[in-house]
PDB file of all heavy atoms in Angstrom:
ATOM      1  N   ALA A 124     -29.561 -29.057  11.631  1.00  0.00           N
ATOM      2  CA  ALA A 124     -29.415 -28.140  10.488  1.00  0.00           C
ATOM      3  C   ALA A 124     -30.346 -26.945  10.612  1.00  0.00           C
ATOM      4  O   ALA A 124     -29.992 -25.810  10.248  1.00  0.00           O
ATOM      5  CB  ALA A 124     -29.689 -28.888   9.174  1.00  0.00           C
ATOM      6  N   GLY A 125     -31.554 -27.157  11.141  1.00  0.00           N
ATOM      7  CA  GLY A 125     -32.487 -26.053  11.318  1.00  0.00           C
ATOM      8  C   GLY A 125     -31.979 -25.024  12.271  1.00  0.00           C
ATOM      9  O   GLY A 125     -32.055 -23.806  12.060  1.00  0.00           O
ATOM     10  N   SER A 126     -31.420 -25.510  13.418  1.00  0.00           N
ATOM     11  CA  SER A 126     -30.836 -24.571  14.387  1.00  0.00           C
ATOM     12  C   SER A 126     -29.651 -23.822  13.800  1.00  0.00           C
ATOM     13  O   SER A 126     -29.449 -22.629  14.042  1.00  0.00           O
ATOM     14  CB  SER A 126     -30.389 -25.337  15.629  1.00  0.00           C
ATOM     15  OG  SER A 126     -31.481 -25.959  16.272  1.00  0.00           O
ATOM     16  N   ALA A 127     -28.859 -24.534  12.994  1.00  0.00           N
ATOM     17  CA  ALA A 127     -27.697 -23.899  12.387  1.00  0.00           C
ATOM     18  C   ALA A 127     -28.142 -22.781  11.421  1.00  0.00           C
ATOM     19  O   ALA A 127     -27.525 -21.714  11.344  1.00  0.00           O
ATOM     20  CB  ALA A 127     -26.868 -24.934  11.624  1.00  0.00           C
ATOM     21  N   SER A 128     -29.236 -23.040  10.681  1.00  0.00           N
ATOM     22  CA  SER A 128     -29.736 -22.011   9.762  1.00  0.00           C
ATOM     23  C   SER A 128     -30.236 -20.781  10.506  1.00  0.00           C
ATOM     24  O   SER A 128     -29.945 -19.656  10.111  1.00  0.00           O
ATOM     25  CB  SER A 128     -30.897 -22.620   8.904  1.00  0.00           C
ATOM     26  OG  SER A 128     -31.387 -21.656   8.023  1.00  0.00           O
ATOM     27  N   ARG A 129     -30.969 -20.986  11.588  1.00  0.00           N
ATOM     28  CA  ARG A 129     -31.460 -19.859  12.374  1.00  0.00           C
ATOM     29  C   ARG A 129     -30.310 -19.104  13.020  1.00  0.00           C
ATOM     30  O   ARG A 129     -30.295 -17.853  13.067  1.00  0.00           O
ATOM     31  CB  ARG A 129     -32.435 -20.354  13.482  1.00  0.00           C
ATOM     32  CG  ARG A 129     -33.767 -20.829  12.912  1.00  0.00           C
ATOM     33  CD  ARG A 129     -34.768 -21.064  14.007  1.00  0.00           C
ATOM     34  NE  ARG A 129     -34.344 -22.175  14.915  1.00  0.00           N
ATOM     35  CZ  ARG A 129     -34.644 -23.459  14.681  1.00  0.00           C
ATOM     36  NH1 ARG A 129     -35.335 -23.794  13.575  1.00  0.00           N
ATOM     37  NH2 ARG A 129     -34.221 -24.371  15.502  1.00  0.00           N
ATOM     38  N   ALA A 130     -29.313 -19.828  13.524  1.00  0.00           N
ATOM     39  CA  ALA A 130     -28.150 -19.187  14.109  1.00  0.00           C
ATOM     40  C   ALA A 130     -27.374 -18.361  13.100  1.00  0.00           C
ATOM     41  O   ALA A 130     -26.944 -17.244  13.388  1.00  0.00           O
ATOM     42  CB  ALA A 130     -27.251 -20.212  14.758  1.00  0.00           C
ATOM     43  N   TYR A 131     -27.231 -18.925  11.910  1.00  0.00           N
ATOM     44  CA  TYR A 131     -26.503 -18.185  10.871  1.00  0.00           C
ATOM     45  C   TYR A 131     -27.218 -16.907  10.478  1.00  0.00           C
ATOM     46  O   TYR A 131     -26.566 -15.866  10.340  1.00  0.00           O
ATOM     47  CB  TYR A 131     -26.370 -19.112   9.636  1.00  0.00           C
ATOM     48  CG  TYR A 131     -25.573 -18.519   8.490  1.00  0.00           C
ATOM     49  CD1 TYR A 131     -24.177 -18.409   8.569  1.00  0.00           C
ATOM     50  CD2 TYR A 131     -26.217 -18.049   7.346  1.00  0.00           C
ATOM     51  CE1 TYR A 131     -23.458 -17.859   7.518  1.00  0.00           C
ATOM     52  CE2 TYR A 131     -25.489 -17.495   6.319  1.00  0.00           C
ATOM     53  CZ  TYR A 131     -24.118 -17.406   6.382  1.00  0.00           C
ATOM     54  OH  TYR A 131     -23.393 -16.848   5.365  1.00  0.00           O
ATOM     55  N   ALA A 132     -28.533 -16.974  10.347  1.00  0.00           N
ATOM     56  CA  ALA A 132     -29.285 -15.783   9.986  1.00  0.00           C
ATOM     57  C   ALA A 132     -29.230 -14.737  11.112  1.00  0.00           C
ATOM     58  O   ALA A 132     -29.023 -13.538  10.841  1.00  0.00           O
ATOM     59  CB  ALA A 132     -30.744 -16.164   9.710  1.00  0.00           C
ATOM     60  N   GLU A 133     -29.394 -15.160  12.354  1.00  0.00           N
ATOM     61  CA  GLU A 133     -29.393 -14.226  13.458  1.00  0.00           C
ATOM     62  C   GLU A 133     -28.006 -13.613  13.675  1.00  0.00           C
ATOM     63  O   GLU A 133     -27.854 -12.400  13.963  1.00  0.00           O
ATOM     64  CB  GLU A 133     -29.835 -14.938  14.746  1.00  0.00           C
ATOM     65  CG  GLU A 133     -30.012 -14.010  15.939  1.00  0.00           C
ATOM     66  CD  GLU A 133     -31.015 -12.905  15.715  1.00  0.00           C
ATOM     67  OE1 GLU A 133     -31.994 -13.126  14.969  1.00  0.00           O
ATOM     68  OE2 GLU A 133     -30.798 -11.797  16.235  1.00  0.00           O
ATOM     69  N   THR A 135     -25.771 -13.144  11.330  1.00  0.00           N
ATOM     70  CA  THR A 135     -25.578 -12.199  10.226  1.00  0.00           C
ATOM     71  C   THR A 135     -26.281 -10.874  10.514  1.00  0.00           C
ATOM     72  O   THR A 135     -25.726  -9.791  10.259  1.00  0.00           O
ATOM     73  CB  THR A 135     -26.083 -12.787   8.896  1.00  0.00           C
ATOM     74  OG1 THR A 135     -25.388 -13.996   8.619  1.00  0.00           O
ATOM     75  CG2 THR A 135     -25.889 -11.810   7.761  1.00  0.00           C
ATOM     76  N   CYS A 155     -15.944 -12.803   9.997  1.00  0.00           N
ATOM     77  CA  CYS A 155     -16.676 -13.541  11.007  1.00  0.00           C
ATOM     78  C   CYS A 155     -17.747 -14.415  10.417  1.00  0.00           C
ATOM     79  O   CYS A 155     -17.920 -15.589  10.772  1.00  0.00           O
ATOM     80  CB  CYS A 155     -17.315 -12.536  11.996  1.00  0.00           C
ATOM     81  SG  CYS A 155     -16.141 -11.644  13.053  1.00  0.00           S
ATOM     82  N   GLN A 156     -18.502 -13.874   9.461  1.00  0.00           N
ATOM     83  CA  GLN A 156     -19.553 -14.647   8.817  1.00  0.00           C
ATOM     84  C   GLN A 156     -18.965 -15.822   8.052  1.00  0.00           C
ATOM     85  O   GLN A 156     -19.512 -16.938   8.107  1.00  0.00           O
ATOM     86  CB  GLN A 156     -20.333 -13.746   7.857  1.00  0.00           C
ATOM     87  CG  GLN A 156     -21.584 -14.450   7.275  1.00  0.00           C
ATOM     88  CD  GLN A 156     -22.194 -13.657   6.162  1.00  0.00           C
ATOM     89  OE1 GLN A 156     -21.479 -13.113   5.297  1.00  0.00           O
ATOM     90  NE2 GLN A 156     -23.527 -13.598   6.117  1.00  0.00           N
ATOM     91  N   ALA A 157     -17.821 -15.612   7.407  1.00  0.00           N
ATOM     92  CA  ALA A 157     -17.204 -16.690   6.622  1.00  0.00           C
ATOM     93  C   ALA A 157     -16.720 -17.812   7.528  1.00  0.00           C
ATOM     94  O   ALA A 157     -16.830 -18.993   7.181  1.00  0.00           O
ATOM     95  CB  ALA A 157     -16.053 -16.129   5.821  1.00  0.00           C
ATOM     96  N   ILE A 158     -16.178 -17.481   8.703  1.00  0.00           N
ATOM     97  CA  ILE A 158     -15.709 -18.533   9.621  1.00  0.00           C
ATOM     98  C   ILE A 158     -16.884 -19.320  10.184  1.00  0.00           C
ATOM     99  O   ILE A 158     -16.842 -20.540  10.333  1.00  0.00           O
ATOM    100  CB  ILE A 158     -14.856 -17.919  10.749  1.00  0.00           C
ATOM    101  CG1 ILE A 158     -13.521 -17.506  10.167  1.00  0.00           C
ATOM    102  CG2 ILE A 158     -14.649 -18.900  11.885  1.00  0.00           C
ATOM    103  CD1 ILE A 158     -12.478 -17.013  11.147  1.00  0.00           C
ATOM    104  N   LEU A 159     -18.012 -18.617  10.516  1.00  0.00           N
ATOM    105  CA  LEU A 159     -19.198 -19.361  10.955  1.00  0.00           C
ATOM    106  C   LEU A 159     -19.685 -20.285   9.835  1.00  0.00           C
ATOM    107  O   LEU A 159     -20.058 -21.431  10.102  1.00  0.00           O
ATOM    108  CB  LEU A 159     -20.298 -18.399  11.367  1.00  0.00           C
ATOM    109  CG  LEU A 159     -21.624 -19.060  11.791  1.00  0.00           C
ATOM    110  CD1 LEU A 159     -21.414 -20.032  12.931  1.00  0.00           C
ATOM    111  CD2 LEU A 159     -22.659 -18.016  12.155  1.00  0.00           C
ATOM    112  N   ARG A 160     -19.654 -19.801   8.626  1.00  0.00           N
ATOM    113  CA  ARG A 160     -20.055 -20.618   7.479  1.00  0.00           C
ATOM    114  C   ARG A 160     -19.140 -21.852   7.359  1.00  0.00           C
ATOM    115  O   ARG A 160     -19.615 -22.975   7.083  1.00  0.00           O
ATOM    116  CB  ARG A 160     -19.976 -19.778   6.204  1.00  0.00           C
ATOM    117  CG  ARG A 160     -20.619 -20.422   4.973  1.00  0.00           C
ATOM    118  CD  ARG A 160     -20.927 -19.374   3.894  1.00  0.00           C
ATOM    119  NE  ARG A 160     -19.762 -18.608   3.539  1.00  0.00           N
ATOM    120  CZ  ARG A 160     -19.661 -17.289   3.692  1.00  0.00           C
ATOM    121  NH1 ARG A 160     -20.693 -16.605   4.199  1.00  0.00           N
ATOM    122  NH2 ARG A 160     -18.575 -16.655   3.324  1.00  0.00           N
ATOM    123  N   THR A 161     -17.852 -21.663   7.600  1.00  0.00           N
ATOM    124  CA  THR A 161     -16.896 -22.768   7.514  1.00  0.00           C
ATOM    125  C   THR A 161     -17.160 -23.808   8.584  1.00  0.00           C
ATOM    126  O   THR A 161     -17.168 -25.020   8.306  1.00  0.00           O
ATOM    127  CB  THR A 161     -15.467 -22.236   7.635  1.00  0.00           C
ATOM    128  OG1 THR A 161     -15.208 -21.327   6.542  1.00  0.00           O
ATOM    129  CG2 THR A 161     -14.465 -23.382   7.584  1.00  0.00           C
ATOM    130  N   ILE A 162     -17.372 -23.358   9.809  1.00  0.00           N
ATOM    131  CA  ILE A 162     -17.550 -24.326  10.891  1.00  0.00           C
ATOM    132  C   ILE A 162     -18.905 -25.043  10.817  1.00  0.00           C
ATOM    133  O   ILE A 162     -19.066 -26.179  11.244  1.00  0.00           O
ATOM    134  CB  ILE A 162     -17.356 -23.697  12.305  1.00  0.00           C
ATOM    135  CG1 ILE A 162     -18.378 -22.585  12.545  1.00  0.00           C
ATOM    136  CG2 ILE A 162     -15.948 -23.157  12.438  1.00  0.00           C
ATOM    137  CD1 ILE A 162     -18.208 -21.923  13.898  1.00  0.00           C
ATOM    138  N   ILE A 163     -19.904 -24.368  10.215  1.00  0.00           N
ATOM    139  CA  ILE A 163     -21.178 -25.052   9.930  1.00  0.00           C
ATOM    140  C   ILE A 163     -20.957 -26.136   8.887  1.00  0.00           C
ATOM    141  O   ILE A 163     -21.509 -27.232   9.004  1.00  0.00           O
ATOM    142  CB  ILE A 163     -22.254 -24.048   9.480  1.00  0.00           C
ATOM    143  CG1 ILE A 163     -22.727 -23.175  10.664  1.00  0.00           C
ATOM    144  CG2 ILE A 163     -23.448 -24.765   8.889  1.00  0.00           C
ATOM    145  CD1 ILE A 163     -23.675 -22.076  10.278  1.00  0.00           C
ATOM    146  N   SER A 164     -20.137 -25.844   7.891  1.00  0.00           N
ATOM    147  CA  SER A 164     -19.896 -26.814   6.833  1.00  0.00           C
ATOM    148  C   SER A 164     -19.189 -28.077   7.367  1.00  0.00           C
ATOM    149  O   SER A 164     -19.304 -29.155   6.801  1.00  0.00           O
ATOM    150  CB  SER A 164     -19.057 -26.195   5.717  1.00  0.00           C
ATOM    151  OG  SER A 164     -17.734 -25.958   6.134  1.00  0.00           O
ATOM    152  N   LEU A 165     -18.442 -27.909   8.483  1.00  0.00           N
ATOM    153  CA  LEU A 165     -17.769 -29.087   9.057  1.00  0.00           C
ATOM    154  C   LEU A 165     -18.780 -30.078   9.626  1.00  0.00           C
ATOM    155  O   LEU A 165     -18.523 -31.299   9.593  1.00  0.00           O
ATOM    156  CB  LEU A 165     -16.809 -28.620  10.187  1.00  0.00           C
ATOM    157  CG  LEU A 165     -15.713 -27.641   9.746  1.00  0.00           C
ATOM    158  CD1 LEU A 165     -14.920 -27.195  10.962  1.00  0.00           C
ATOM    159  CD2 LEU A 165     -14.772 -28.332   8.747  1.00  0.00           C
ATOM    160  N   PHE A 167     -22.248 -29.953   8.728  1.00  0.00           N
ATOM    161  CA  PHE A 167     -23.296 -30.223   7.756  1.00  0.00           C
ATOM    162  C   PHE A 167     -22.794 -29.987   6.323  1.00  0.00           C
ATOM    163  O   PHE A 167     -23.258 -29.062   5.655  1.00  0.00           O
ATOM    164  CB  PHE A 167     -24.517 -29.312   8.026  1.00  0.00           C
ATOM    165  CG  PHE A 167     -25.000 -29.363   9.452  1.00  0.00           C
ATOM    166  CD1 PHE A 167     -24.688 -28.355  10.334  1.00  0.00           C
ATOM    167  CD2 PHE A 167     -25.771 -30.437   9.896  1.00  0.00           C
ATOM    168  CE1 PHE A 167     -25.138 -28.408  11.640  1.00  0.00           C
ATOM    169  CE2 PHE A 167     -26.230 -30.493  11.199  1.00  0.00           C
ATOM    170  CZ  PHE A 167     -25.890 -29.470  12.068  1.00  0.00           C
ATOM    171  N   PRO A 168     -21.863 -30.771   5.854  1.00  0.00           N
ATOM    172  CA  PRO A 168     -21.310 -30.534   4.505  1.00  0.00           C
ATOM    173  C   PRO A 168     -22.347 -30.654   3.393  1.00  0.00           C
ATOM    174  O   PRO A 168     -22.247 -29.947   2.414  1.00  0.00           O
ATOM    175  CB  PRO A 168     -20.211 -31.597   4.375  1.00  0.00           C
ATOM    176  CG  PRO A 168     -20.578 -32.657   5.372  1.00  0.00           C
ATOM    177  CD  PRO A 168     -21.254 -31.944   6.513  1.00  0.00           C
ATOM    178  N   ASP A 169     -23.343 -31.535   3.554  1.00  0.00           N
ATOM    179  CA  ASP A 169     -24.322 -31.766   2.509  1.00  0.00           C
ATOM    180  C   ASP A 169     -25.454 -30.753   2.554  1.00  0.00           C
ATOM    181  O   ASP A 169     -26.182 -30.586   1.576  1.00  0.00           O
ATOM    182  CB  ASP A 169     -24.885 -33.169   2.605  1.00  0.00           C
ATOM    183  CG  ASP A 169     -23.819 -34.227   2.423  1.00  0.00           C
ATOM    184  OD1 ASP A 169     -22.839 -33.956   1.644  1.00  0.00           O
ATOM    185  OD2 ASP A 169     -23.928 -35.307   3.033  1.00  0.00           O
ATOM    186  N   SER A 170     -25.656 -30.080   3.685  1.00  0.00           N
ATOM    187  CA  SER A 170     -26.779 -29.160   3.837  1.00  0.00           C
ATOM    188  C   SER A 170     -26.336 -27.707   3.879  1.00  0.00           C
ATOM    189  O   SER A 170     -27.139 -26.816   4.181  1.00  0.00           O
ATOM    190  CB  SER A 170     -27.535 -29.474   5.139  1.00  0.00           C
ATOM    191  OG  SER A 170     -27.902 -30.817   5.201  1.00  0.00           O
ATOM    192  N   LEU A 171     -25.071 -27.464   3.595  1.00  0.00           N
ATOM    193  CA  LEU A 171     -24.548 -26.092   3.760  1.00  0.00           C
ATOM    194  C   LEU A 171     -25.302 -25.094   2.911  1.00  0.00           C
ATOM    195  O   LEU A 171     -25.661 -24.001   3.404  1.00  0.00           O
ATOM    196  CB  LEU A 171     -23.052 -26.058   3.401  1.00  0.00           C
ATOM    197  CG  LEU A 171     -22.397 -24.684   3.516  1.00  0.00           C
ATOM    198  CD1 LEU A 171     -22.442 -24.184   4.959  1.00  0.00           C
ATOM    199  CD2 LEU A 171     -20.967 -24.716   2.995  1.00  0.00           C
ATOM    200  N   ASP A 172     -25.561 -25.424   1.610  1.00  0.00           N
ATOM    201  CA  ASP A 172     -26.254 -24.465   0.726  1.00  0.00           C
ATOM    202  C   ASP A 172     -27.606 -24.110   1.287  1.00  0.00           C
ATOM    203  O   ASP A 172     -28.045 -22.923   1.240  1.00  0.00           O
ATOM    204  CB  ASP A 172     -26.411 -25.056  -0.659  1.00  0.00           C
ATOM    205  CG  ASP A 172     -25.086 -25.125  -1.415  1.00  0.00           C
ATOM    206  OD1 ASP A 172     -24.125 -24.436  -0.975  1.00  0.00           O
ATOM    207  OD2 ASP A 172     -24.977 -25.877  -2.394  1.00  0.00           O
ATOM    208  N   TYR A 173     -28.334 -25.075   1.814  1.00  0.00           N
ATOM    209  CA  TYR A 173     -29.650 -24.829   2.415  1.00  0.00           C
ATOM    210  C   TYR A 173     -29.538 -23.921   3.649  1.00  0.00           C
ATOM    211  O   TYR A 173     -30.287 -22.961   3.820  1.00  0.00           O
ATOM    212  CB  TYR A 173     -30.314 -26.154   2.789  1.00  0.00           C
ATOM    213  CG  TYR A 173     -31.424 -26.001   3.808  1.00  0.00           C
ATOM    214  CD1 TYR A 173     -32.661 -25.486   3.459  1.00  0.00           C
ATOM    215  CD2 TYR A 173     -31.196 -26.355   5.149  1.00  0.00           C
ATOM    216  CE1 TYR A 173     -33.668 -25.309   4.412  1.00  0.00           C
ATOM    217  CE2 TYR A 173     -32.199 -26.213   6.091  1.00  0.00           C
ATOM    218  CZ  TYR A 173     -33.433 -25.693   5.715  1.00  0.00           C
ATOM    219  OH  TYR A 173     -34.418 -25.528   6.642  1.00  0.00           O
ATOM    220  N   ILE A 174     -28.535 -24.197   4.468  1.00  0.00           N
ATOM    221  CA  ILE A 174     -28.401 -23.452   5.744  1.00  0.00           C
ATOM    222  C   ILE A 174     -28.071 -21.985   5.499  1.00  0.00           C
ATOM    223  O   ILE A 174     -28.653 -21.079   6.097  1.00  0.00           O
ATOM    224  CB  ILE A 174     -27.333 -24.112   6.629  1.00  0.00           C
ATOM    225  CG1 ILE A 174     -27.802 -25.487   7.084  1.00  0.00           C
ATOM    226  CG2 ILE A 174     -26.987 -23.240   7.832  1.00  0.00           C
ATOM    227  CD1 ILE A 174     -26.751 -26.311   7.796  1.00  0.00           C
ATOM    228  N   ILE A 175     -27.128 -21.713   4.592  1.00  0.00           N
ATOM    229  CA  ILE A 175     -26.654 -20.344   4.422  1.00  0.00           C
ATOM    230  C   ILE A 175     -27.597 -19.496   3.540  1.00  0.00           C
ATOM    231  O   ILE A 175     -27.366 -18.286   3.398  1.00  0.00           O
ATOM    232  CB  ILE A 175     -25.234 -20.305   3.855  1.00  0.00           C
ATOM    233  CG1 ILE A 175     -25.187 -20.903   2.464  1.00  0.00           C
ATOM    234  CG2 ILE A 175     -24.265 -20.997   4.792  1.00  0.00           C
ATOM    235  CD1 ILE A 175     -23.824 -20.797   1.779  1.00  0.00           C
ATOM    236  N   ARG A 176     -28.645 -20.134   2.990  1.00  0.00           N
ATOM    237  CA  ARG A 176     -29.623 -19.340   2.238  1.00  0.00           C
ATOM    238  C   ARG A 176     -30.420 -18.434   3.175  1.00  0.00           C
ATOM    239  O   ARG A 176     -31.138 -17.525   2.713  1.00  0.00           O
ATOM    240  CB  ARG A 176     -30.575 -20.270   1.521  1.00  0.00           C
ATOM    241  CG  ARG A 176     -30.051 -20.780   0.194  1.00  0.00           C
ATOM    242  CD  ARG A 176     -31.107 -21.583  -0.518  1.00  0.00           C
ATOM    243  NE  ARG A 176     -30.478 -22.541  -1.430  1.00  0.00           N
ATOM    244  CZ  ARG A 176     -31.044 -23.656  -1.832  1.00  0.00           C
ATOM    245  NH1 ARG A 176     -32.235 -23.995  -1.362  1.00  0.00           N
ATOM    246  NH2 ARG A 176     -30.439 -24.482  -2.668  1.00  0.00           N
ATOM    247  N   SER A 177     -30.328 -18.644   4.442  1.00  0.00           N
ATOM    248  CA  SER A 177     -31.089 -17.862   5.412  1.00  0.00           C
ATOM    249  C   SER A 177     -30.550 -16.437   5.571  1.00  0.00           C
ATOM    250  O   SER A 177     -31.189 -15.618   6.216  1.00  0.00           O
ATOM    251  CB  SER A 177     -31.083 -18.562   6.764  1.00  0.00           C
ATOM    252  OG  SER A 177     -29.775 -18.706   7.269  1.00  0.00           O
ATOM    253  N   ALA A 178     -29.391 -16.135   4.984  1.00  0.00           N
ATOM    254  CA  ALA A 178     -28.829 -14.807   5.114  1.00  0.00           C
ATOM    255  C   ALA A 178     -27.976 -14.462   3.907  1.00  0.00           C
ATOM    256  O   ALA A 178     -27.425 -15.362   3.248  1.00  0.00           O
ATOM    257  CB  ALA A 178     -27.968 -14.711   6.387  1.00  0.00           C
ATOM    258  N   THR A 179     -27.908 -13.194   3.584  1.00  0.00           N
ATOM    259  CA  THR A 179     -27.098 -12.706   2.458  1.00  0.00           C
ATOM    260  C   THR A 179     -25.652 -12.552   2.887  1.00  0.00           C
ATOM    261  O   THR A 179     -25.387 -12.003   3.989  1.00  0.00           O
ATOM    262  CB  THR A 179     -27.649 -11.349   1.976  1.00  0.00           C
ATOM    263  OG1 THR A 179     -29.034 -11.514   1.635  1.00  0.00           O
ATOM    264  CG2 THR A 179     -26.883 -10.859   0.763  1.00  0.00           C
ATOM    265  N   PRO A 180     -24.693 -12.959   2.054  1.00  0.00           N
ATOM    266  CA  PRO A 180     -23.294 -12.751   2.405  1.00  0.00           C
ATOM    267  C   PRO A 180     -22.965 -11.275   2.584  1.00  0.00           C
ATOM    268  O   PRO A 180     -23.471 -10.415   1.873  1.00  0.00           O
ATOM    269  CB  PRO A 180     -22.538 -13.340   1.196  1.00  0.00           C
ATOM    270  CG  PRO A 180     -23.518 -14.260   0.559  1.00  0.00           C
ATOM    271  CD  PRO A 180     -24.862 -13.692   0.778  1.00  0.00           C
ATOM    272  N   ILE A 181     -22.134 -10.992   3.558  1.00  0.00           N
ATOM    273  CA  ILE A 181     -21.701  -9.613   3.826  1.00  0.00           C
ATOM    274  C   ILE A 181     -20.586  -9.256   2.836  1.00  0.00           C
ATOM    275  O   ILE A 181     -19.609 -10.001   2.722  1.00  0.00           O
ATOM    276  CB  ILE A 181     -21.243  -9.445   5.270  1.00  0.00           C
ATOM    277  CG1 ILE A 181     -22.418  -9.709   6.203  1.00  0.00           C
ATOM    278  CG2 ILE A 181     -20.664  -8.044   5.516  1.00  0.00           C
ATOM    279  CD1 ILE A 181     -22.037  -9.729   7.687  1.00  0.00           C
TER     280      ILE A 181
END
Side-chain angles (χ1 to χ4, degrees):
S126 297
S128 179
R129 288 191 295 273
Y131 183 75
E133 186 58 33
T135 301
C155 290
Q156 187 191 42
I158 287 186
L159 177 57
R160 191 162 54 241
T161 298
I162 61 179
I163 287 175
S164 70
L165 300 175
F167 308 101
D169 298 329
S170 307
L171 179 63
D172 290 342
Y173 160 75
I174 293 172
I175 63 176
R176 278 185 205 154
S177 60
T179 303
I181 297 173

